[in-house]
Amino acid sequence: MLAITRSDVLGQLKQVKGPDFTDDIVSLGLVSEISIVDGKVFFSITVPTGRAEELELLRQTAEKVVTAIDGVNSAVVTLTAERKHGTEEKSMFSLRSAAHKQLRIAPRRPIEGVKYIITVASGKGGVGKSTTAINLALALKESGLTIGLLDADIYGPSLPRLVGIHRRPESHDKKLEPLEQYGLKLISMGFLVDEETPMVWRGPMVMGAITQMLRDVLWAPLDVLVVDMPPGTGDAHLTLAQQVPLSGSVIISTPQDLALADARKGIEMFMKVGVPILGIIENMSYFIAPDTGRRYDIFGHGSVRLEAKKRKVAFLGEVPLDPQIRAASDEGRPIILAKPYGLHAKRYRDIAQVIIKKLEESPIPNHAKGDKVLENVSGQYNNPST
């Protein structure tokens, strides 16, 4: 089978007429850069502002003609609004605020067979969010829950390295089978492309990829799907908030003011779209010198606890900085497994128990109201993995 090229896709798209049937969408310059990954085609179509709903048939037609190409497994096509020439450009904050208002009324469709969906998020990169996500997922699993972990960082996926697997997932009935490691179901863009492949994608492509990892993966049955979010408050966050009913978000921050300022933006964003804040974790909270036992507050200390109190959200705890966490993560065996009886493992398990209790009280389960999903789970642990 010949490799699919962008020319193949553009050739097919020339069959699709533009919004006013004057010419095809390729000749009109409405097709974005095209990305092709393992038989999946991603692109967007620029349409006039305010006509996206009206032109849904155009999007479906484009998707259909591209899917018909030999070798194409699926196509992710999105509509994006054009900016009129001469219109004053709004700030990114204003655009996102407008999107947040829309998201409040957008219907959110549950993922079949998944009971609760939570995010682990931060406003800033480099604060240990992905390491926290994998260890929290494992701590939740130890409590007797079935857990999935979705790595939603399209540009910098870290899950393959954190769990030490680099194979590709298999497909079944046009859906991906999640990989399994340490009793978790796992999906990441890092499993689908080579580690060194740069992901140069526009916003609509990112949104399409995340939608597929939510909808086109055989997650069921799961008690909790943990979503490791990319840093910031961008397209990935808005897509997730729009697509599925989120039961809550865990916010990660280090103590220094710069990281905390960005974390506040994350808290504000999730609150605006109606997602409960399960709590905030102060990561890299302090350092204990292994030779002297002396404590050092390298990034400051206590500011995250104060912020949680100010925001009236739960402070989930302090996780100290320790080279063992980094070493265990690099080896593909998270610290809760590498040192199951250590301080860090205990902290993650304590945090997981608070999350479980909050999910029991959550007004936004991913399933029909009334099911006591986590009944009799709080406070119970399986034997720590070794």
Side-chain angles (χ1 to χ4, degrees):
M1 183 184 299
L2 295 176
I4 308 158
T5 67
R6 291 174 176 79
S7 296
D8 296 332
V9 176
L10 290 172
Q12 285 290 92
L13 290 175
K14 287 183 178 179
Q15 303 175 40
V16 182
K17 292 294 184 182
D20 297 314
F21 302 98
T22 55
D23 211 336
D24 65 87
I25 59 176
V26 176
S27 300
L28 290 170
L30 304 181
V31 179
S32 73
E33 180 65 24
I34 296 168
S35 292
I36 303 171
V37 180
D38 292 335
K40 295 181 182 291
V41 180
F42 301 83
F43 64 93
S44 62
I45 303 170
T46 302
V47 297
T49 303
R51 295 184 62 186
E53 184 175 350
E54 170 194 346
L55 296 171
E56 170 62 15
L57 181 59
L58 182 153
R59 187 199 67 77
Q60 293 178 7
T61 303
E63 187 176 90
K64 183 176 180 180
V65 299
V66 172
T67 305
I69 301 173
D70 186 27
V72 172
N73 298 325
S74 63
V76 176
V77 185
T78 57
L79 300 179
T80 184
E82 68 182 0
R83 183 183 297 139
K84 294 180 180 180
H85 181 70
T87 300
E88 183 178 356
E89 185 176 351
K90 296 181 179 179
S91 68
M92 183 60 70
F93 180 79
S94 298
L95 291 173
R96 288 176 179 166
S97 295
H100 293 161
K101 292 177 182 177
Q102 294 173 359
L103 288 173
R104 288 197 193 109
I105 59 173
R108 298 166 169 96
R109 185 163 56 92
I111 300 174
E112 184 177 355
V114 179
K115 296 170 184 174
Y116 286 84
I117 305 172
I118 66 173
T119 68
V120 178
S122 67
K124 185 176 179 60
V127 298
K129 174 184 50 59
S130 295
T131 300
T132 301
I134 183 66
N135 282 287
L136 283 181
L138 288 166
L140 290 167
K141 183 203 62 100
E142 286 184 3
S143 293
L145 304 175
T146 54
I147 304 297
L149 179 57
L150 191 166
D151 180 1
D153 193 343
I154 302 299
Y155 297 111
S158 55
L159 188 58
R161 186 175 294 274
L162 288 170
V163 297
I165 54 176
H166 301 277
R167 62 184 183 273
R168 295 177 185 268
E170 296 181 357
S171 60
H172 179 73
D173 291 336
K174 295 187 177 181
K175 290 200 171 187
L176 289 177
E177 291 271 6
L179 297 180
E180 295 198 22
Q181 184 79 313
Y182 305 135
L184 304 175
K185 294 183 179 182
L186 308 167
I187 279 293
S188 169
M189 187 58 67
F191 296 141
L192 302 173
V193 299
D194 294 333
E195 186 176 11
E196 296 182 0
T197 300
M199 304 300 288
V200 187
W201 287 4
R202 297 177 66 181
M205 299 177 194
V206 173
M207 292 185 280
I210 290 175
T211 299
Q212 283 209 316
M213 289 194 291
L214 287 169
R215 303 290 181 195
D216 293 348
V217 174
L218 298 171
W219 289 114
L222 284 183
D223 289 314
V224 183
L225 176 61
V226 179
V227 184
D228 177 15
M229 300 300 296
T233 54
D235 296 318
H237 303 72
L238 296 179
T239 298
L240 198 71
Q242 184 180 38
Q243 286 284 330
V244 294
L246 295 175
S247 297
S249 181
V250 176
I251 306 296
I252 314 297
S253 181
T254 49
Q256 70 264 45
D257 291 341
L258 183 59
L260 191 55
D262 289 333
R264 290 188 188 103
K265 297 175 185 176
I267 293 170
E268 187 70 18
M269 189 216 73
F270 281 115
M271 285 182 168
K272 282 186 176 180
V273 295
V275 177
I277 303 298
L278 298 174
I280 314 177
I281 297 173
E282 183 171 279
N283 200 32
M284 306 182 196
S285 183
Y286 55 87
F287 174 70
I288 302 294
D291 53 345
T292 65
R294 184 176 176 182
R295 170 173 167 157
Y296 296 89
D297 295 335
I298 297 175
F299 302 116
H301 179 259
S303 57
V304 177
R305 184 189 294 272
L306 291 174
E307 183 67 21
K309 183 177 181 180
K310 177 182 175 182
R311 294 274 180 172
K312 297 182 180 180
V313 298
F315 178 67
L316 297 177
E318 301 171 350
V319 178
L321 176 66
D322 194 315
Q324 290 184 347
I325 296 181
R326 191 273 312 159
S329 297
D330 286 349
E331 292 170 3
R333 191 166 177 80
I335 194 71
I336 198 170
L337 301 178
K339 301 286 183 181
Y341 301 103
L343 170 64
H344 299 90
K346 181 181 185 305
R347 292 287 171 87
Y348 289 126
R349 292 190 185 106
D350 289 345
I351 293 169
Q353 285 301 292
V354 176
I355 291 172
I356 288 171
K357 290 178 181 178
K358 286 186 170 291
L359 289 180
E360 290 174 335
E361 303 165 356
S362 173
I364 313 177
N366 186 59
H367 57 94
K369 289 186 177 180
D371 295 349
K372 294 185 179 180
V373 176
L374 306 180
E375 187 175 15
N376 300 323
V377 172
S378 294
Q380 298 179 8
Y381 286 110
N382 297 331
N383 292 329
S385 302
T386 56

